[in-house]
Amino acid sequence: MRSSRPVIALVVFGAMLCLGLTALALVLGADSSEAQQGAMHNCPQASKWAIAVWDGPDGADTGQAASTCGQGSVIAAYDLNSETQMWSRWFVGRPEVSDLATLDNLQGILALGSAQAPTTPTPTNSVTPPPTSTPTATPMKTATPTVTATHTATPTATATHTATATATPGGLVGACGTCALTDCNCSDFTSQAQAQTCLNADPSDPFNLDGDNDGVACESLP
């Protein structure tokens, strides 16, 4: 009975996420034809989770799409496959543990804001010089770079130590601490039991805590 509770909770959370993304996609659908460049809508606040939606070309690089919220303002993102109920994830600067490579138009993600406030670049216009006998400069307008990338299939994140499992973002942070937002090492834990709790939260071992794949994390810790 206890083992079925996490599965039920994950399915319920996934269904709620799909409903929220569908509603937000319908709201953005009417305006998507007017967008000249891609942009992420409903960007997360600092240190907060938010359901963000990519409004731009299909196959956009996840990192570049997230940067439209402000450079470095989004540090992690998760996507739930509605058919397989499996999570794909993206961490800023961590391609080796990220499998959410691209986003399609109106695709929703569960995004985590960084601890610092986002810095969104503001387009500016240059001032036109007054007419003179010499040629005048043409005003130039800065704009957000266009995001392009090839679309790849969404991989699924699974664990293969003792049982197949998929960790939710909140579960990783709760089990591993704030190092789960970037990278966890054995030095981030004071005991083997703490490291084992982190490994058990996601047995796929994204942080390589179990170097010999025997199911025991950070064996050198007391």
Side-chain angles (χ1 to χ4, degrees):
M1 184 63 181
R2 292 183 178 178
S3 61
S4 64
R5 290 180 180 176
V7 176
I8 295 174
L10 180 60
V11 171
V12 173
F13 180 80
M16 294 175 63
L17 177 60
C18 289
L19 289 175
L21 295 178
T22 300
L24 190 53
L26 290 174
V27 173
L28 295 176
D31 297 329
S32 61
S33 62
E34 299 178 3
Q36 299 299 318
Q37 299 168 346
M40 189 74 73
H41 294 275
N42 196 37
C43 294
Q45 299 179 4
S47 302
K48 300 292 184 180
W49 291 96
I51 299 176
V53 174
W54 169 242
D55 185 11
D58 290 340
D61 179 84
T62 302
Q64 294 184 22
S67 68
T68 63
C69 288
Q71 191 65 35
S73 64
V74 178
I75 60 175
Y78 286 79
D79 174 62
L80 180 66
N81 188 305
S82 60
E83 295 181 357
T84 63
Q85 295 298 308
M86 304 298 291
W87 288 96
S88 298
R89 59 198 173 192
W90 171 85
F91 297 107
V92 63
R94 295 297 310 281
E96 70 277 7
V97 295
S98 301
D99 53 18
L100 180 59
T102 61
L103 298 177
D104 288 338
N105 186 38
L106 299 183
Q107 180 176 351
I109 58 174
L110 185 61
L112 175 62
S114 66
Q116 298 179 352
T119 55
T120 303
T122 302
T124 59
N125 294 321
S126 60
V127 179
T128 303
T132 62
S133 58
T134 58
T136 58
T138 302
M140 300 296 293
K141 182 177 182 180
T142 61
T144 305
T146 301
V147 180
T148 57
T150 57
H151 178 68
T152 59
T154 304
T156 57
T158 56
T160 56
H161 285 291
T162 57
T164 301
T166 304
T168 62
L172 280 176
V173 175
C176 305
T178 56
C179 69
L181 300 178
T182 55
D183 186 19
C184 289
N185 299 300
C186 290
S187 60
D188 295 318
F189 306 100
T190 59
S191 67
Q192 191 276 331
Q194 291 181 347
Q196 190 66 41
T197 299
C198 180
L199 176 62
N200 293 342
D202 189 351
S204 65
D205 195 17
F207 307 121
N208 196 26
L209 301 177
D210 181 12
D212 53 7
N213 296 319
D214 63 352
V216 181
C218 299
E219 300 179 28
S220 61
L221 291 176

